[in-house]
Amino acid sequence: MNKFTLCFTMKHSAETIYEELIKAQFIVQAPTEAEIFFRGETFGFWHQIQKANKQIVEIFDEHLALDESEKNILNEHKSLLFLQGLINTKEKLESVQRVTTNLLQKVATGVYFEHCGTAYTAKNWQNNNLHDDIMPWINFIYTKKGLWTLGLAALQSSDIKTSVVNQEDLESKQNLLLTLIEAHLNDEIELESGLNLTAEDGKNYITQKTPAPLFKKGDDLYNPKGCLTLIERK
């Protein structure tokens, strides 16, 4: 199974992170092993703490186009907290979302979803109500051959590809793919080849196995579950 990796820009130094997490009542005591458990959650995370790295601001800027105020806040981070784990149920996904939201409210200024390349500042996360949104877990890659999702491997699912005609169609197809993914996570549909569905605009689609995925085996972003192509039925 593919793991997710989240990187938080922290307000406190690497030496004081555990102390601050205890003070904020996120953890009971400093972990003695590689796994860390947060209050109220039923499963732990593999974790690692690293010193601050100013280059991470560039990663955030690529995804969000930060203003100077946001850049300054991120630049002032004192350390990095990495959390990694497996998501194979909706409950685990919701748990990770809660932990992310809590950290961003008190001790972190931003989070980078390393497994898919998305990034959010604490302000952006709060303003867009991302605490229960699937959007942070999915990146979209637009190529001449179509629109691809990136990140579903961490949710133990196939990625999806579809064709795009123009800019207006691009936004419509992104929303369609998000709707499809949410239905899958809610156990309303199974993402597999041969799935027939009707979009809100009345168009009919079918899914087929993609013979050539965007990232090949051996690449860090390779999805072992493969990729499905969403094809409009005329």
Side-chain angles (χ1 to χ4, degrees):
M1 289 187 176
N2 280 49
K3 297 178 180 179
F4 67 84
T5 303
L6 307 184
C7 173
F8 293 87
T9 51
M10 304 296 286
K11 297 178 182 179
H12 308 285
S13 68
E15 293 76 19
T16 62
I17 279 186
Y18 294 140
E19 178 186 340
E20 296 299 330
L21 290 177
I22 292 171
K23 194 182 298 182
Q25 297 188 337
F26 289 152
I27 61 175
V28 177
Q29 59 186 20
T32 56
E33 299 180 355
E35 201 168 23
I36 186 171
F37 288 85
F38 290 87
R39 281 179 180 266
E41 306 303 333
T42 56
F43 76 104
F45 300 78
W46 172 88
H47 80 292
Q48 186 179 57
I49 298 171
Q50 294 183 10
K51 293 182 178 180
N53 183 345
K54 302 296 184 183
Q55 291 182 339
I56 199 167
V57 179
E58 297 175 11
I59 296 175
F60 278 81
D61 197 30
E62 286 177 7
H63 186 69
L64 288 173
L66 303 169
D67 59 33
E68 286 305 311
S69 173
E70 290 173 314
K71 286 182 182 178
N72 290 336
I73 291 173
L74 287 172
N75 264 319
E76 290 173 0
H77 76 276
K78 303 295 191 301
S79 61
L80 299 174
L81 171 64
F82 290 85
L83 297 181
Q84 189 179 70
L86 287 171
I87 291 178
N88 51 16
T89 65
K90 186 180 179 183
E91 289 71 28
K92 284 191 174 181
L93 175 60
E94 292 171 347
S95 177
V96 178
Q97 292 283 79
R98 283 193 298 270
V99 169
T100 300
T101 299
N102 289 338
L103 290 174
L104 291 173
Q105 284 178 343
K106 292 188 176 181
V107 294
T109 57
V111 59
Y112 171 51
F113 286 68
E114 192 174 282
H115 57 276
C116 64
T118 60
Y120 299 88
T121 63
K123 179 182 176 181
N124 185 261
W125 185 273
Q126 181 179 358
N127 289 349
N128 289 284
N129 295 313
L130 296 175
H131 61 280
D132 61 354
D133 199 315
I134 192 60
M135 191 67 185
W137 294 85
I138 305 164
N139 207 345
F140 287 102
I141 299 178
Y142 183 41
T143 71
K144 291 182 179 179
K145 295 183 178 180
L147 179 69
W148 305 69
T149 64
L150 174 63
L152 292 183
L155 301 178
Q156 318 311 321
S157 177
S158 304
D159 275 296
I160 316 171
K161 170 198 171 188
T162 192
S163 60
V164 173
V165 178
N166 51 38
Q167 188 65 33
E168 183 179 348
D169 188 40
L170 175 62
E171 184 176 346
S172 173
K173 289 294 176 60
Q174 282 186 349
N175 291 333
L176 175 59
L177 294 184
L178 284 172
T179 300
L180 190 59
I181 294 164
E182 287 175 349
H184 170 64
L185 292 174
N186 289 327
D187 295 324
E188 296 169 10
I189 61 170
E190 189 65 36
L191 276 181
E192 58 186 7
S193 182
L195 173 68
N196 290 280
L197 62 122
T198 302
E200 290 184 358
D201 59 5
K203 293 180 180 178
N204 295 310
Y205 295 87
I206 188 171
T207 56
Q208 293 182 2
K209 191 75 175 177
T210 306
L214 192 59
F215 298 98
K216 296 181 179 179
K217 191 172 183 178
D219 192 293
D220 289 341
L221 298 177
Y222 171 72
N223 187 343
K225 293 280 187 178
C227 183
L228 296 172
T229 300
L230 188 64
I231 301 171
E232 184 179 349
R233 302 184 71 172
K234 303 297 184 179

